[in-house]
Amino acid sequence: MELAEAVTAGHRPARGRPAVHLADLSPAERRSAVAALGEPAYRADQLSRHYFGRLTDSPAEMTDLPAGSRAALARALLPALLTELRVVACDGGLTRKTLWRAADGAFVESVLMRYPGRITICVSSQAGCGMACPFCATGQAGLTRNLSAAEIVTQVFNGASVLARGGMAGGPGRISNVVFMGMGEPLANFTSVLTAIRRLTDPVPAGFGISQRAVTISTVGLVPAIGRLAGEGLSCRLAVSLHAPDDELRDELVPVNRRWKVAEVLDAAWGYAAATGRRVSVEYAMIRDVNDQPWRADLLARLLAGRLAHVNLIPLNPTPGSKWTASDPAAADEFGARLAAAGIPVTVRDTRGREIDGACGQLAARPG
Ligand code: SAH
C-alpha cells in the first residue's frame, strides 16, 4: 500500500505495525498524504513547521490552519504512538528517564541528560534487544520488535518539547546530541533508524535540524550494516561496543561476535572512519576480573594504534541477576593509563542515571 493510501485508510500500513506518522514521511510523502486527505499540499509544510519547528502536535495550537482541517490532519498524520507511563529523575532533575508504552503494548525507555554546554537524549531503536549480551538488562529480556522511525523520532520530539517549555531542571533548552544507546540494536533496525536520523537532522520543516555530527549510532558490531551505514554519506559518529579485544572473551560478552569477529568489526569501523572522517568511539564496559587485565589493555592498544579511534571506558552498571561487577577503580585506572601511554585517546564515561535504572545497560522497561 502507498503511504498516502495508508494514511487515508486509517493510517495502518500493515497489521501489527505502528500507525504511520508525519515523522515517518519525507516532505514529498507528506504532501501526497495531505493531498490524499483532500487538503492543499502546502498544509504538509505548515504541519511540519508545528511539529519539527515549534515542537507541538496539539491541533489547538495550530492557529494558522483552518479549525476544520486541523483535527482531520492531526488524526491522520499525528497519531499518538507512545504514551508516557512514567517519568523518573535524578541528579537534581538533570537526568530524566521516560517509560513509554506503544500502541501494541510494547515498552521502551528514553533518557534525557543535561550537562554543562550540551543536552543529550538517549533513544531506543527497538523494544527489547535480540543481541543477548549477558551483562545488559535489555539484552537479557530479548527482542519484542523494531520501532518505527516515528516511534524513535517521538522520543526526541517529546524531549525537545519538554525542554522548550522549561520542563527540565535548568530552564528552557534544546537537545544538542542524540545517542542511539537506549534499548535495542540500531543497526538491526536499519531502515527505521536511518529514516529517523534524516528526520532528526534535516533542517526545519523537514526535520529538527540537529547536527549529524551530534548523533551517535552505537552498535554491537553488525559488520554488513556498518558497511551500509558508511555508504549513506552521513557525518554521524559511530560507537562500537567492543568490551573485549580478543575473540575468546568477546564471544561470551557480545554473542554476535561468534558471527563477526573482533578483527572484522574493527575493519568495518575503520571503513566507516575513512568514509566519514569521524573518529570511531570504542565502548568498553569495565568488568571486574573479566576484561580489565593489563594485558587486555595492551592488546586493545595494539588493535587501535594509528587508527581514527578513541576508547570510552564505562564503569559496569549493575543489572539484575548479573554475576559481574564493575572493575576495581585501581584496575580501571591502570587500564586507562596503559591505553593513554600507548597514545590511544581514552575517556571515562560520566555515567548518568544509575539510581533510576537509566544508565547504560539498565534499560529494561518494566512497567511495574
Ligand atoms: N545495542 C547497541 C546500542 C546500546 S548502547 C550497542 O550495544 O552498542 C548501550 C551501551 O551500554 C553499549 O555499549 C553496551 O554494551 C553498554 N552496556 C550494556 N550493559 C551495560 C552495563 N551493565 N554497564 C555498562 N555498560 C553497559
Side-chain angles (χ1 to χ4, degrees), residues 167-214:
M168 188 185 206
R174 292 167 66 91
I175 289 177
S176 54
N177 297 66
V178 180
V179 296
F180 284 83
M181 295 189 179
M183 300 173 74
E185 167 51 42
L187 296 188
N189 183 16
F190 195 91
T191 308
S192 295
V193 164
L194 204 71
T195 302
I197 290 171
R198 302 265 179 227
R199 301 300 173 261
L200 301 182
T201 61
D202 284 349
V204 178
F208 294 120
I210 295 168
S211 162
Q212 282 189 3
R213 299 185 65 82

Side-chain angles (χ1 to χ4, degrees), residues 135-136 181-182 184-185 218-220 241 243 314 316-317 319 360-361:
F135 56 94
C136 175
M181 295 189 179
E185 167 51 42
S218 183
T219 178
V220 288
S241 296
H243 307 314
I314 316 171
L316 187 81
N317 293 307
T319 58
C360 307

Side-chain angles (χ1 to χ4, degrees), residues 199-239:
R199 301 300 173 261
L200 301 182
T201 61
D202 284 349
V204 178
F208 294 120
I210 295 168
S211 162
Q212 282 189 3
R213 299 185 65 82
V215 173
T216 301
I217 303 133
S218 183
T219 178
V220 288
L222 306 185
V223 166
I226 294 173
R228 217 174 133 195
L229 190 68
E232 291 291 335
L234 301 171
S235 56
C236 298
R237 183 188 291 285
L238 180 73

Side-chain angles (χ1 to χ4, degrees), residues 330-347:
D333 287 349
E334 164 77 6
F335 196 92
R338 291 181 96 94
L339 290 170
I344 311 294
V346 53
T347 48

Side-chain angles (χ1 to χ4, degrees), residues 103-329:
D104 65 350
F107 296 103
V108 290
E109 293 182 312
S110 41
V111 186
L112 199 53
M113 291 162 284
R114 186 169 208 149
Y115 300 90
R118 73 174 197 278
I119 302 179
T120 300
I121 188 161
C122 177
V123 295
S124 296
S125 56
Q126 298 181 311
C129 184
M131 298 297 124
C133 302
F135 56 94
C136 175
T138 312
Q140 288 315 288
L143 178 66
T144 303
R145 69 166 169 84
N146 281 337
L147 298 189
S148 68
E151 285 175 319
I152 298 169
V153 172
T154 295
Q155 299 168 57
V156 179
F157 170 84
N158 172 266
S161 157
V162 163
L163 277 163
R165 284 155 190 70
M168 188 185 206
R174 292 167 66 91
I175 289 177
S176 54
N177 297 66
V178 180
V179 296
F180 284 83
M181 295 189 179
M183 300 173 74
E185 167 51 42
L187 296 188
N189 183 16
F190 195 91
T191 308
S192 295
V193 164
L194 204 71
T195 302
I197 290 171
R198 302 265 179 227
R199 301 300 173 261
L200 301 182
T201 61
D202 284 349
V204 178
F208 294 120
I210 295 168
S211 162
Q212 282 189 3
R213 299 185 65 82
V215 173
T216 301
I217 303 133
S218 183
T219 178
V220 288
L222 306 185
V223 166
I226 294 173
R228 217 174 133 195
L229 190 68
E232 291 291 335
L234 301 171
S235 56
C236 298
R237 183 188 291 285
L238 180 73
V240 173
S241 296
L242 198 67
H243 307 314
D246 54 303
D247 287 318
E248 192 183 346
L249 178 57
R250 195 167 192 269
D251 280 351
E252 186 189 354
L253 295 183
V254 184
V256 77
N257 195 70
R258 293 171 203 157
R259 179 107 171 255
W260 292 294
K261 299 293 169 191
V262 170
E264 294 170 87
V265 171
L266 290 178
D267 268 352
W270 310 147
Y272 187 86
T276 58
R278 300 287 327 256
R279 194 164 83 162
V280 171
S281 177
V282 173
E283 311 293 292
Y284 203 102
M286 300 294 294
I287 314 177
R288 182 178 302 183
D289 299 332
V290 172
N291 66 353
D292 60 358
Q293 304 82 355
W295 72 265
R296 283 202 160 94
D298 296 342
L299 176 55
L300 180 61
R302 283 202 295 283
L303 296 178
L304 306 188
R307 302 295 188 172
L308 203 53
H310 88 278
V311 176
N312 199 354
L313 299 176
I314 316 171
L316 187 81
N317 293 307
T319 58
S322 167
K323 56 183 178 182
W324 289 307
T325 49
S327 296
D328 192 75

